[in-house]
Every structure is written in C-alpha cells, then in structure tokens.
Amino acid sequence: MKKLLCVLLLLPLFPVTACAQFDTSSLYDALPDDVREISGTLSEEFAYDGEGALKRLLDSGLSRLTEAARENRSTALGLLALLFIGALAVPFCQRAGMSDLSELCLTAGAALFLTEGLHSILAQATAAIDQLLDYSRAALPTVFTAAAVSGTAASSAARYAAVSLAMDTMMTFAKRLLLPMIHAQLALSIALGLYDNALLQMMHDLFRQTCTLAMTLLSTGFIAFIGITGLVGGTADQAAIRTAKTVISTALPVVGGILSDAAGAVLSTAALLRNTTGVFSLIAVTALCLGPFAALSVRWALFRFSAVIAGIIPGKRIGVLLGGFGSAMGQLIGLVGAFTLVLYFSIVCAIRTLPL
Amino acid sequence: MALVFKASAAAISVSLIALLLKKSNPESALLLSIVTVIVLSAASMRFMDDIRELLELAQEMYGVPYRFCQPVVKCLAIAIVTRFSSDLCRDASQAALASGVDLAGSVCALSVALPLITSVLNNLRTIL
C-alpha cells in the first residue's frame, strides 16, 4: 500500500511532452523556383497565407499572358503580312488561271513560317504534363498522409492508390496515343493545306475526334473512379472513429470522456494540417499550369483569328491550314487541362471529408 | 492614279487603230498591240518598287523571311507574263501557241513552288 502511494505521488514528475512531426518539404521540393515564389511556403505552425498566394497567382497569370502575347507578336504580324501579300497576289494569278499554284505557294510559305516555332510549343506542353506528374508523385503522398492522420486512413489510402493509377494511366495514354495523334493532326493540316483530299480530311477528323473522346473519357472515368473509391472507405472511417470514441468513453469510467475529447482535438488539428497542405497543393498545381496555358491559349487565339482573316484570300487552303493548327492547339490545352482537372479533384477529395 | 487614266486612254486608242489596221495589215496591228502592252507594263513597273518595299518591311519588322514570300511574288510575275503572252497569241488567232504558253507558265510556277513543298515535306518528317 505504501509502495502504491509512493508511485502515485511520484507519478506527476514523469510526464513528458508528446508531439508528432510532419514533414512538408516534399510539397516544395518538386516545384520549380518561379512556382515556389508564387505558392509561398507553409509556416512552422502549418499556417498558410492563401489570400496572398491567390493574389500572386493572379498577378503571375496576367504577366504570363502578356509575355506570351509579346512573344507571339512577331508570329502574328508575320502571318498577317503573308495573308496580305496573298490577298494581293492570288486574285491576279486567278485571272491568269494560276490561282491553284499561287495558293499552294502561299500555303507552303505559311506552313514553313508557322512550323518554325511549333516544336517549342509542343515541348512546353509535354514539359507541363511531366511537371504535373512529378508534382503529383512528390506532393500527393504528403496530402493524403495528412488526410489519413485526420481520421480518414482507409479512404485516403484507397484514394491515393486510385490517383496514382489514374495519373500513370493518363501519362501512358498521353505519351503513346494522344501526343502522337496531335502531331499527326498538325501534319495532316499541313498536307490538307497543300492538297485537298477527302481521305486526308477523314483521317484528320478521325484523329481529332478520337483525341477529344479519349481525353473526355479518361478524365471523366478517373474522376468518377477516384470519387467512388473513397466513399466506402470514408463510411468505414467514420464508423471506426465513432466506435473508438464510444469504447474509450465507456471503458474508462472517469478519464474516458477526457481522452475521447482529447482525441477529437488531435483529429481537428490534423484536419487543419490536411486542409492547409491541400490548399497549398491546389495553388501549386495552378501555378505549374499557368505558363503553358498562357502560351497555348495565345497560340490558339492567334490561329483562330488568322483563319478568319484568311477568308479574304480566294480559295480555302490557307484557311484549312490555320484552322487545323488552331484545332491542334486546342487539343493540347485540353490534354494539359485533363491532367490538371484530375489532380484538382484528387486534392479536393483529400481535403473534403464527411463530418464526424 | 493618273497612270490608270493614261493607260486606259492609250489602250482604247491603240485598240481602235489596231482594228482599222487589221483589215489591211494584221501584222502591224499585232505589233502595235505588243508594243503598247510592253509600254504599259513598263509604266506599271514603277509601282513594283512599292511592293518590293512592302516585302522588305514584312521581312524587317515582322520577321517574315523573304524565302517565304518570294515564291508567291514569282508566281505572280509568271502569271502576268503568261497571261499577256497567251492573250497576244489568241489575238493573232494562234490558239495552240497560247495553250503552249499557258502550259509553260504552269510548269514554271510549279518549279518555283517545288523548293517550298520540299521544305514542307522535310518539316513534316520532323513533326512526325
């Protein structure tokens, strides 16, 4: 009895502080320097200045758009100059019965002028997709771990597995099927501009429609898969947490309720961590896409606008060329957008949980 | 602007004279037509300087390399020469010669376009 009393009296001398360390360095390490400047960092207490990041995002978006417009100014003016020269020359040649050949020369010249900057645009789109995939591999484990710590262990593990499968499958499809089809569309647009042929037109339309359908199916399918995957796990997580709270509070007569409330407080703090890492990742993904989206959008607008202006030239060859290029740029935007959408949805699923 | 009125007046006058000469001396009428066409074309060449300046402006300010515009301009020149020559041959009732000139013009225009098409095909290979 005396020994028990001594132990109870000395017990207050032995408590130590318990804490958990959460490493968020993987959220920053995968980001390029310019993106890190936009997204900012998490503080040691896992606080995040989301408003400031959004403002920097908006400013960066506007400046990237302006920069892309400035870079493409010479291409736009050169194209307009070519179209103007064509508008003067082709009608003259039409009267001499050489409109076909003059249109051919004009379209070939325009095709050569436009393909000079094409490789950099295609490389930019491919690099954007690679960056998104690398970031998903580096940052999503952190986000889903934070989600698991906040009490959704089963659903987070299932969702992360689904997201990894989705990103890898989409990357395989993108590199082996979609990007080659976009290259083929560009080549067929040039061929159609030079030589109007029904078979070439059918092939071009087939590639375009297949690309659009594939991107729609992939992104819709995987979003549904990720969403459904976490539902069952989420219900199980809820049940597990409620059961644990009930067991703790009923099994331990005096301190059970206190322990149960303490556990709830820990889960709420972990939920704050989960939300913070999720918001940071959303902003980081947006910042990663800004540059490529700006460049592709400006190019798309340039080709669409030029295709309309090409209506001043008799004949439709150069209009077909410019329309085909615009369509291919739209497909590239769609491809980068599909990856971004799946990532957004994954992160939002990680942040969003059902109330306990 | 004045050139248009002068050219129209000269062309109409020479047409009337050629019509009168055709009955007695058709060769002289044709020669008169050829000379008038050459004189009018030479007078129009002054304005080619403006077109050349436009192409140079396109090259300097807008970055359009001359090799992309050159085939179009050459096609235009071939079309003009072919059109004049074949019309003069038809005026001389030589339809076969006119067709020959048309064919020669088309072949020349195609040969002008061939280097461009070759470059486009090489670019297509790099895209694919």
Side-chain angles (χ1 to χ4, degrees):
Chain A
M1 189 63 192
K2 282 183 187 174
K3 284 181 187 172
L4 184 61
L5 206 59
C6 286
V7 167
L8 284 172
L9 284 171
L10 289 172
L11 213 54
L13 295 173
F14 294 105
V16 295
T17 307
C19 63
Q21 197 170 4
F22 196 81
D23 183 19
T24 56
S25 61
S26 62
L27 290 174
Y28 319 124
D29 292 345
L31 294 175
D33 293 334
D34 53 340
V35 174
R36 218 175 293 172
E37 278 178 23
I38 300 168
S39 65
T41 54
L42 298 177
S43 67
E44 281 187 7
E45 295 82 27
F46 301 111
Y48 182 55
D49 178 22
E51 267 187 47
L54 280 172
K55 190 176 177 307
R56 287 192 298 274
L57 202 60
L58 186 65
D59 291 339
S60 175
L62 289 171
S63 72
R64 296 273 175 108
L65 214 54
T66 315
E67 197 183 309
R70 206 177 298 128
E71 279 170 12
N72 284 287
R73 188 177 55 186
S74 60
T75 308
L77 292 174
L79 201 51
L80 280 173
L82 264 174
L83 290 175
F84 184 61
I85 291 165
L88 288 176
V90 171
F92 268 107
C93 298
Q94 206 172 27
R95 278 192 230 121
M98 285 186 196
S99 64
D100 273 354
L101 285 167
S102 58
E103 267 184 70
L104 186 71
C105 288
L106 182 69
T107 310
L112 282 173
F113 181 60
L114 292 175
T115 49
E116 281 186 344
L118 203 58
H119 293 288
S120 68
I121 280 284
L122 292 169
Q124 215 170 359
T126 313
I129 295 168
D130 285 332
Q131 274 185 335
L132 285 172
L133 186 68
D134 290 341
Y135 187 71
S136 73
R137 285 179 180 151
L140 285 185
T142 309
V143 175
F144 280 100
T145 305
V149 161
S150 69
T152 58
S155 61
S156 298
R159 277 199 175 124
Y160 179 63
V163 168
S164 299
L165 174 67
M167 293 300 284
D168 285 340
T169 309
M170 282 179 73
M171 186 51 138
T172 307
F173 266 93
K175 291 231 158 144
R176 292 207 184 159
L177 181 69
L178 299 176
L179 279 171
M181 284 175 107
I182 292 171
H183 280 69
Q185 279 184 59
L186 286 165
L188 282 167
S189 303
I190 295 172
L192 276 168
L194 297 179
Y195 178 56
D196 187 20
N197 180 269
L199 180 62
L200 290 176
Q201 184 67 54
M202 275 169 56
M203 284 172 66
H204 180 265
D205 292 342
L206 176 68
F207 284 141
R208 186 170 47 86
Q209 285 161 9
T210 307
C211 252
T212 309
L213 187 65
M215 282 189 275
T216 310
L217 283 176
L218 279 173
S219 50
T220 312
F222 280 120
I223 282 171
F225 178 55
I226 292 165
I228 292 166
T229 301
L231 277 179
V232 174
T235 316
D237 288 330
Q238 267 194 305
I241 290 168
R242 283 195 184 130
T243 308
K245 278 187 169 180
T246 310
V247 163
I248 290 170
S249 55
T250 53
L252 300 170
V254 177
V255 299
I258 299 167
L259 280 174
S260 175
D261 291 341
V266 169
L267 287 178
S268 302
T269 311
L272 175 66
L273 169 66
R274 177 198 68 211
N275 292 344
T276 308
T277 53
V279 167
F280 178 87
S281 298
L282 281 174
I283 289 177
V285 166
T286 311
L288 275 172
C289 301
L290 269 182
F293 267 127
L296 289 169
S297 305
V298 166
R299 280 269 169 161
W300 173 83
L302 166 66
F303 290 137
R304 285 293 185 199
F305 184 61
S306 308
V308 169
I309 292 181
I312 59 173
I313 298 171
K316 55 173 188 163
R317 283 188 170 149
I318 195 159
V320 165
L321 172 75
L322 294 169
F325 270 51
S327 167
M329 291 299 115
Q331 302 267 313
L332 280 174
I333 292 173
L335 186 60
V336 176
F339 274 87
T340 312
L341 192 64
V342 171
L343 260 183
Y344 274 158
F345 188 77
S346 312
I347 295 167
V348 167
C349 281
I351 296 172
R352 185 185 158 275
T353 56
L354 297 169
L356 298 171
Chain B
M1 185 75 177
L3 177 66
V4 170
F5 294 114
K6 288 179 188 173
S8 306
I12 291 168
S13 310
V14 167
S15 300
L16 286 170
I17 296 167
L19 207 58
L20 289 170
L21 277 177
K22 207 171 182 179
K23 293 173 193 172
S24 58
N25 199 347
E27 297 87 10
S28 304
L30 183 64
L31 271 171
L32 189 62
S33 299
I34 293 170
V35 166
T36 312
V37 162
I38 292 171
V39 166
L40 290 176
S41 301
S44 307
M45 284 300 119
R46 286 186 302 160
F47 296 98
M48 291 303 289
D49 286 340
D50 294 334
I51 296 170
R52 192 172 47 80
E53 275 173 24
L54 173 68
L55 293 177
E56 283 170 3
L57 186 73
Q59 188 181 359
E60 283 169 20
M61 284 186 69
Y62 305 136
V64 182
Y66 187 59
R67 68 178 190 278
F68 296 151
C69 310
Q70 196 183 31
V72 182
V73 174
K74 281 186 177 175
C75 265
L76 176 63
I78 292 169
I80 291 170
V81 169
T82 308
R83 176 71 185 272
F84 281 148
S85 307
S86 73
D87 284 349
L88 283 169
C89 290
R90 284 196 181 89
D91 285 346
S93 308
Q94 299 295 326
L97 284 175
S99 300
V101 167
D102 286 338
L103 177 66
S106 301
V107 168
C108 287
L110 188 61
S111 71
V112 160
L114 273 178
L116 263 186
I117 294 169
T118 312
S119 303
V120 169
L121 290 174
N122 287 334
N123 269 19
L124 274 178
R125 203 169 48 188
T126 59
I127 289 171
L128 291 172

